């Protein structure tokens, strides 16, 4: 039996659809809040006329990554685990919460995999947990060294810490793989911290663009490579999952064109972003409201980081979906959802 943590998230929901559509093994998934199950059912409805039947084949279990007794029950009869659950935030004051979920939660999953003699674990990390080069023209690979002395974001620090827990598990006999996706593009999650929020904001109208470069990947490319790696004999390896390296500006323009709205026309330069994150910090201190734009967000907006996807293509012979195609497909689903937003 397969266990999926974070089953109600962007990656988890699309992974569950792929797994139950395949129908070869029974699937169990963990959720924290019952209301979030509706999002998964909605994602299923994009791709199947029999979405309800597929959704009902999943054995849903309410559990938290730090609730050991509930997790122990969820692990009963499990042979393979996809650990997709994570907390995504770049707010510095969320560091302890990030550690609790991303590092301690992953340690719990790893420990239960070992104690239950699970055959294989797949952990969904992030390109944020991979090191960077000083030379921005140099491609980042799986071997690029993480530098703990860098000005890393709190999210990156905890994802890297979570990876250490997975590698610790491999030293204790666990077979595991780690995937490091870029910005994951997928439909159904138009609010919050997922990439769907970018589509909604671009549709609403964005004045400014930024010239930073980062890697993008379609959500189905992520889940398909995960499933293929789990079925393969490959173990104790990590893989960058990026289809294309693209500037934020180009991404914004492509989405705007697909949604028939005006693209942003003004460049938000580094000095303007520097003022913006300081004003956001001041607003947070005065009002107590959540941070919406941090120092690290501003830094990444102008950083040029390019990733090499050669390793996964060589390992599986995998062909990534072009980002133009991903944007087109997601925009079509977004337009269908507009009446629900």
């Amino acid at each position: 039996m397969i266990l999926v943590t974070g089953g109600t998230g962007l990656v988890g929901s699309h992974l569950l659809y792929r797994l139950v559509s395949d129908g070869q093994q029974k699937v169990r998934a963990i959720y924290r809040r019952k209301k979030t199950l509706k999002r998964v059912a909605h994602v299923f409805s994009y791709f199947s006329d029999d979405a309800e039947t597929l959704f009902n084949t999943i054995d849903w279990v309410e559990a938290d990554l730090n609730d050991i007794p509930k997790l122990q029950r969820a692990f009963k009869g499990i042979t393979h685990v996809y650990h997709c659950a994570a907390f995504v935030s770049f707010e510095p004051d969320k560091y302890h919460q990030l550690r609790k979920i991303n590092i301690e939660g992953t340690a719990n999953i790893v420990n239960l995999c070992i104690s239950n003699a699970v055959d294989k674990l797949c952990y969904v990390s992030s390109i944020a947990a991979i090191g960077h080069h000083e030379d921005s023209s140099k491609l980042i690979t799986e071997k690029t060294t993480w530098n703990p002395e860098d000005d890393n974001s709190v999210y990156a620090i905890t994802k890297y810490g979570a990876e250490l827990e997975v590698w610790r598990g491999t030293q204790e006999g666990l077979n595991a793989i780690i995937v490091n996706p870029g910005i994951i593009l997928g439909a159904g999650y138009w609010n919050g911290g997922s990439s769907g929020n970018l589509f909604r904001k671009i549709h609403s109208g964005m004045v400014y663009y930024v010239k930073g470069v980062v890697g993008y990947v379609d959500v189905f490319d992520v889940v398909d490579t995960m499933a293929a790696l789990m079925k393969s004999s490959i173990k104790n390896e990590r893989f960058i999952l990026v289809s294309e390296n693209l500037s934020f500006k180009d991404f914004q323009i492509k989405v705007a064109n697909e949604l028939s709205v005006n693209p942003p026309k003004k460049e938000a330069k580094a000095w303007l972003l520097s003022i913006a994150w300081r004003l956001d910090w001041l607003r947070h201190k005065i009002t107590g409201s959540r941070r919406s734009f941090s120092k690290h967000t501003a830094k990444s907006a102008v950083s040029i980081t390019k990733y090499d996807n050669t390793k996964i293509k060589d390992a599986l012979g995998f062909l990534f979906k072009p980002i133009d195609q991903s944007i087109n497909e997601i925009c079509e689903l977004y337009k269908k959802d507009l009446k629900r937003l």
Side-chain angles (χ1 to χ4, degrees):
M1 191 175 203
I2 296 171
L3 177 65
V4 177
T5 74
T8 60
L10 177 65
V11 173
S13 61
H14 286 77
L15 174 63
L16 286 171
Y17 174 74
R18 274 291 195 253
L19 292 174
V20 297
S21 297
D22 185 45
Q24 294 184 13
Q25 283 185 277
K26 293 183 179 179
V27 179
R28 180 177 294 152
I30 291 174
Y31 72 95
R32 290 192 303 116
R33 296 186 299 274
K34 195 169 184 177
K35 64 180 182 180
T36 59
L37 296 177
K38 293 180 180 179
R39 294 187 300 190
V40 183
H42 184 61
V43 166
F44 279 32
S45 72
Y46 289 147
F47 313 111
S48 174
D49 294 329
D50 201 20
E52 185 175 355
T53 300
L54 288 174
F55 179 84
N56 289 334
T57 64
I58 301 168
D59 178 19
W60 288 100
V61 175
E62 183 182 2
D64 185 275
L65 291 182
N66 291 289
D67 189 332
I68 304 300
K70 286 186 177 180
L71 284 178
Q72 287 175 328
R73 290 192 289 272
F75 265 80
K76 186 176 180 181
I78 296 299
T79 60
H80 292 78
V81 175
Y82 292 90
H83 181 29
C84 308
F87 178 42
V88 181
S89 176
F90 296 90
E91 300 174 67
D93 61 338
K94 295 291 191 293
Y95 177 64
H96 294 291
Q97 187 179 355
L98 283 158
R99 285 191 61 89
K100 188 73 176 175
I101 297 171
N102 294 346
I103 300 179
E104 293 181 32
T106 299
N108 293 333
I109 295 297
V110 168
N111 292 339
L112 285 165
C113 283
I114 295 170
S115 62
N116 286 275
V118 165
D119 292 340
K120 203 169 186 180
L121 165 69
C122 176
Y123 174 57
V124 183
S125 185
S126 167
I127 54 172
I130 295 179
H132 296 91
H133 300 299
E134 289 186 11
D135 181 359
S136 61
S137 66
K138 192 174 180 181
L139 290 178
I140 295 167
T141 73
E142 290 82 355
K143 293 183 179 180
T144 303
T145 305
W146 166 274
N147 183 1
E149 301 302 318
D150 280 348
D151 186 19
N152 300 299
S153 71
V154 288
Y155 174 67
I157 290 168
T158 59
K159 292 298 280 186
Y160 178 75
E163 287 192 5
L164 293 180
E165 292 295 336
V166 176
W167 297 133
R168 184 262 302 171
T170 65
Q171 296 301 306
E172 297 179 33
L174 175 64
N175 295 327
I177 53 172
I178 293 176
V179 293
N180 297 86
I183 294 180
I184 303 172
L185 304 179
Y189 294 75
W190 310 118
N191 297 298
S194 72
S195 64
N197 191 36
L198 293 173
F199 288 81
R200 184 180 62 83
K201 286 184 174 180
I202 293 169
H203 180 253
S204 298
M206 297 183 73
V207 177
Y208 292 96
Y209 65 82
V210 290
K211 287 188 173 180
V213 174
V214 74
Y216 293 83
V217 63
D218 188 90
V219 66
F220 276 120
D221 282 346
V222 175
V223 302
D224 287 345
T225 51
M226 289 165 61
L229 287 167
M230 287 289 267
K231 291 177 181 178
S232 75
S233 60
I234 299 169
K235 63 180 181 180
N236 306 344
E237 297 275 358
R238 72 187 303 169
F239 295 90
I240 289 173
L241 303 184
V242 163
S243 172
E244 298 175 33
N245 297 297
L246 192 68
S247 73
F248 293 113
K249 178 185 179 182
D250 287 344
F251 175 78
Q252 289 172 286
I253 291 173
K254 288 175 184 291
V255 174
N257 289 338
E258 286 290 341
L259 295 176
S260 301
V261 297
N262 293 325
K265 298 290 179 62
K266 299 179 181 180
E267 180 184 356
K269 296 188 177 182
W271 65 267
L272 183 61
L273 297 172
S274 180
I275 293 173
W277 77 256
R278 286 175 168 83
L279 289 175
D280 184 76
W281 174 85
L282 183 61
R283 177 184 58 83
H284 164 72
K285 288 297 181 182
I286 294 174
T287 67
S289 58
R290 289 189 60 177
R291 296 290 301 276
S292 59
F293 194 67
S294 69
K295 174 184 177 182
H296 290 99
T297 307
K299 178 183 175 183
S300 65
V302 295
S303 297
I304 297 175
T305 48
K306 296 181 180 180
Y307 297 86
D308 187 349
N309 61 11
T310 301
K311 184 178 179 181
I312 189 65
K313 289 196 293 186
D314 288 347
L316 299 177
F318 191 80
L319 296 177
F320 285 94
K321 182 185 296 185
I323 292 302
D324 282 353
Q325 182 181 344
S326 298
I327 290 173
N328 172 264
E329 293 172 354
I330 294 165
C331 285
E332 289 304 310
L333 293 173
Y334 174 80
K335 286 184 277 190
K336 289 181 180 179
D337 273 349
L338 274 176
K339 293 180 180 179
R340 299 178 64 254
L341 298 177

